Amino acid sequence: TSNLHELDVALAASGWGASQQREFEAVGEELAMGAADGGEAAGQEDEGEEGSEGEEDEEAAVAVGRPSHRADGKVFYRQMKKGEETYEVGQDCYLENGADVPYVARLQEIFVYSFASSEVYFNARWYYREGDVHEYAKMAGASGKVKYEGGTLTAAPSELFFSLHFDENHSDCVLRPCAVHLLDERPDGGFGPHEFFAWRAYEKKAVYPLEALPTKKLRDAYATE
């Protein structure tokens, strides 16, 4: 329960509204249950290695269906299953980051390496939160907060920013599905639990509307979504 209380405090401090906190309580409960299950598995280690390994196998992601293609020593799939959830290429999901508020990304590729077929990986495009935009701009050399339309950039609690951030990760970090709606203009609201929206993109210390992306790199990336 202390972990769930810390999660609530962190979400409130991050600027999420009450509805976002309620939506995310489910994730906190799932994590707490997972931690409890892990404790039970650890306690069973004295009874034998087999029980512990069985617990780990149940939690691990597995590739589902026939391979779509093979390349560069990798075998690609359209789906993977983790726990009770099935994830497809194009699915948005929460990713564990060691903090109280998780990352959000869209699965672009799901694959295993030919030499380790039991380990599932994915490539994903990351969505940034408002704080991420300011932080990455600072890391890129910005002297202050990112500006937008003459003022300091701000964002709604459920707003994310499209990015060019694309990399490989292990399926262990996948928490649960969510949904990101890419829009050409600022919405008026109307989003449900675990739903987000993005109508702006971040690149090189600046933010642009998705309907007026200034670089070919951004336009090409957006066109694939």
Side-chain angles (χ1 to χ4, degrees):
T1 56
S2 61
N3 288 338
L4 294 178
H5 175 69
E6 291 172 3
L7 179 64
D8 291 337
V9 172
L11 291 174
S14 71
W16 280 32
S19 60
Q20 283 74 29
Q21 291 187 48
R22 288 193 297 272
E23 293 165 12
F24 201 72
E25 283 174 358
V27 176
E29 292 172 358
E30 290 169 11
L31 293 176
M33 292 175 63
D37 291 341
E40 292 177 4
Q44 293 170 356
E45 288 180 357
D46 293 338
E47 300 177 9
E49 287 289 326
E50 184 175 350
S52 175
E53 291 178 357
E55 183 73 20
E56 292 176 359
D57 291 341
E58 291 179 4
E59 295 300 321
V62 294
V64 176
R66 298 173 62 87
S68 60
H69 64 285
R70 303 168 187 264
D72 302 323
K74 302 173 184 177
V75 183
F76 293 83
Y77 293 83
R78 294 292 303 174
Q79 296 181 325
M80 68 177 179
K81 185 172 183 179
K82 185 177 182 183
E84 297 182 356
E85 297 286 354
T86 298
Y87 300 83
E88 297 185 355
V89 170
Q91 171 71 57
D92 302 312
C93 56
Y94 293 117
L95 302 181
E96 174 64 54
N97 61 1
D100 295 301
V101 179
Y103 292 136
V104 178
R106 177 166 294 181
L107 304 180
Q108 302 287 343
E109 295 174 318
I110 297 170
F111 62 91
V112 300
Y113 284 95
S114 299
F115 59 83
S117 59
S118 64
E119 299 290 328
V120 182
Y121 293 82
F122 62 90
N123 286 321
R125 181 176 308 285
W126 298 74
Y127 294 101
Y128 290 165
R129 301 184 189 276
E130 176 189 337
D132 299 325
V133 170
H134 293 302
E135 182 64 24
Y136 278 105
K138 182 179 179 181
M139 293 170 59
S143 58
K145 297 283 190 178
V146 175
K147 303 294 183 182
Y148 188 78
E149 295 183 341
T152 299
L153 174 73
T154 60
S158 294
E159 181 177 356
L160 302 173
F161 294 82
F162 185 84
S163 84
L164 293 174
H165 187 160
F166 183 97
D167 61 13
E168 174 183 321
N169 299 268
H170 193 280
S171 57
D172 281 352
C173 70
V174 175
L175 295 177
R176 61 150 294 147
C178 62
V180 181
H181 303 279
L182 299 175
L183 307 172
D184 289 334
E185 59 184 17
R186 187 197 306 265
D188 295 327
F191 299 100
H194 303 294
E195 286 189 291
F196 301 87
F197 67 90
W199 65 281
R200 295 180 287 186
Y202 168 81
E203 185 189 23
K204 296 181 178 178
K205 301 181 284 186
V207 166
Y208 310 95
L210 290 178
E211 65 175 356
L213 297 174
T215 67
K216 184 178 186 300
K217 195 172 184 179
L218 268 176
R219 291 193 296 270
D220 288 347
Y222 182 42
T224 65
E225 299 301 326

